[in-house]
Amino acid sequence: MAVSVMFSLKSLTKIPKPHVPKTPIANLLTSPSKSHLKFTPNFKSSSLSHFTTIPKSKSGTHFRNLTVRSLFTGIVEEMGEVKQLGVSSDGGFDMKIRAKTVLQDVHLGDSIAVNGTCLTVTEFGQEDFIVGLSPETLRKTSLSELEPGSLVNLERAVQPMSRMGGHFVQGHVDGTGEIVLMVPEKDSLWIKVKADRNLMKYVVPKGFIAVDGTSLTVVDVFDDEDCFNFMLVEYTQQKVVIPLKKVGQKVNLEVDILGKYVERLLSSGFVDSKKFEIVKVKNSYFLKELGFQPLQLVLLFLSL
């Protein structure tokens, strides 16, 4: 589904004032009022102030768990429909989703990417499944805008024999972006997204990015506006939820993990302490440490 078309539209540089619709979950995140969104007798209303406050550790430092439990490709398998939402008895938030394809071989504890967010299946039936949403997930993703009837992108975690049709997507949402412009061009659709500057440094023209779990190719980057754009062809528009959203709504963003590794490598001083030369493998260029065996380099490339 990735698109690599270069195009420039003057209208894409204008950012209209956003309008963000209020949704049940958004209300829960901003108000401690009781929720009526219950779908099992075990759910109870409770204060959700902990959804908007992050408890401090003794050291005052917060660490994010970056362990890779599952891997996705960004190729959406189907669009599911949110059936019910509710506060669970343990103070978390549960969501029931109607689906078909992703239920074909589902098991308890399986990981399913919902709009690009890796979530764990806690219960399932013949036509739907339930996932739990932690306070941190609601704070960091656009799932807080969902409501009963909303459509969501769904993808199961890849298996060893799965085809890599998109790019490496972990399901660890880095943050949200805001749709600032949607412009049709014939049967395609240009979409422009504004994101935090800390994320924009990883966004490059012709590079990969996962938007609501969809593997896409960035077309242009507008550094002065902290924005980037991409184009959806007609087929993709029919298979993902992004075109159904409106200007002002949020989308989940996960930048290419390879950019983070390169940044870490450069900031660690490792590169300065080694001698490298540029080598070419399968039309791609790599930094090769002098004395590094060619076979090892090829194996490294194949493992990426």
Side-chain angles (χ1 to χ4, degrees):
M1 296 182 184
V3 182
S4 57
V5 180
M6 175 64 74
F7 198 87
S8 177
L9 294 177
K10 294 182 179 179
S11 59
L12 292 181
T13 61
K14 297 181 180 179
I15 303 178
K17 294 182 179 180
H19 171 70
V20 181
K22 294 184 178 181
T23 62
I25 305 180
N27 293 335
L28 288 172
L29 292 174
T30 57
S31 172
S33 60
K34 295 183 178 180
S35 170
H36 62 282
L37 298 174
K38 303 179 182 179
F39 60 90
T40 71
N42 294 328
F43 290 164
K44 62 181 180 179
S45 299
S46 62
S47 173
L48 295 181
S49 58
H50 60 279
F51 278 91
T52 57
T53 58
I54 303 176
K56 294 183 179 180
S57 61
K58 294 182 179 179
S59 63
T61 305
H62 304 284
F63 297 94
R64 184 182 176 189
N65 183 6
L66 294 179
T67 302
V68 180
R69 295 172 49 244
S70 303
L71 190 66
F72 306 90
T73 67
I75 303 300
V76 177
E77 294 188 90
E78 67 172 321
M79 287 189 288
E81 180 184 352
V82 176
K83 292 181 61 177
Q84 294 171 314
L85 303 165
V87 181
S88 62
S89 58
D90 60 1
F93 207 88
D94 285 349
M95 177 166 56
K96 180 182 286 188
I97 301 173
R98 179 184 288 110
K100 182 178 180 180
T101 302
V102 299
L103 293 176
Q104 292 176 359
D105 55 357
V106 69
H107 299 86
L108 289 178
D110 279 358
S111 295
I112 294 180
V114 180
N115 278 359
T117 307
C118 180
L119 300 175
T120 301
V121 176
T122 59
E123 187 178 336
F124 67 92
Q126 294 183 346
E127 298 181 346
D128 50 47
F129 65 96
I130 295 176
V131 292
L133 303 174
S134 69
E136 181 70 1
T137 299
L138 291 173
R139 280 190 292 263
K140 296 295 185 180
T141 71
S142 65
L143 299 182
S144 60
E145 293 188 346
L146 297 177
E147 58 186 356
S150 296
L151 297 180
V152 290
N153 292 331
L154 299 176
E155 182 191 355
R156 291 167 291 183
V158 299
Q159 297 179 344
M161 299 304 293
S162 299
R163 296 182 63 184
M164 181 57 68
H167 72 285
F168 296 112
V169 179
Q170 295 178 282
H172 297 165
V173 175
D174 293 303
T176 59
E178 179 184 313
I179 298 176
V180 295
L181 204 62
M182 304 177 77
V183 178
E185 182 183 0
K186 295 184 178 180
D187 60 353
S188 296
L189 180 66
W190 285 95
I191 298 180
K192 188 175 183 181
V193 175
K194 183 178 179 64
D196 186 271
R197 185 161 297 181
N198 290 329
L199 291 183
M200 287 300 300
K201 65 181 180 181
Y202 301 109
V203 182
V204 297
K206 299 297 184 289
F208 286 119
I209 191 167
V211 180
D212 274 348
T214 306
S215 176
L216 297 168
T217 301
V218 176
V219 178
D220 289 314
V221 175
F222 308 92
D223 290 324
D224 56 335
E225 303 176 47
D226 293 330
C227 293
F228 67 93
N229 67 357
F230 55 88
M231 176 179 275
L232 298 177
V233 297
E234 182 180 14
Y235 177 83
T236 306
Q237 294 176 51
Q238 299 172 0
K239 301 298 181 180
V240 301
V241 301
I242 302 172
L244 303 178
K245 294 191 172 183
K246 299 178 181 179
V247 170
Q249 287 190 278
K250 295 179 180 179
V251 289
N252 290 329
L253 300 177
E254 181 183 331
V255 297
D256 192 350
I257 187 64
L258 296 181
K260 296 180 182 178
Y261 282 127
V262 171
E263 180 185 52
R264 176 64 176 170
L265 182 65
L266 295 175
S267 64
S268 67
F270 175 78
V271 174
D272 295 335
S273 64
K274 303 289 182 180
K275 293 183 179 180
F276 292 88
E277 64 178 342
I278 298 177
V279 295
K280 186 177 182 181
V281 179
K282 290 188 177 182
N283 295 322
S284 297
Y285 291 90
F286 294 86
L287 287 177
K288 172 188 173 186
E289 182 183 351
L290 295 181
F292 198 61
Q293 296 298 321
L295 178 59
Q296 291 177 297
L297 181 68
V298 173
L299 292 176
L300 175 63
F301 170 76
L302 293 176
S303 67
L304 294 177

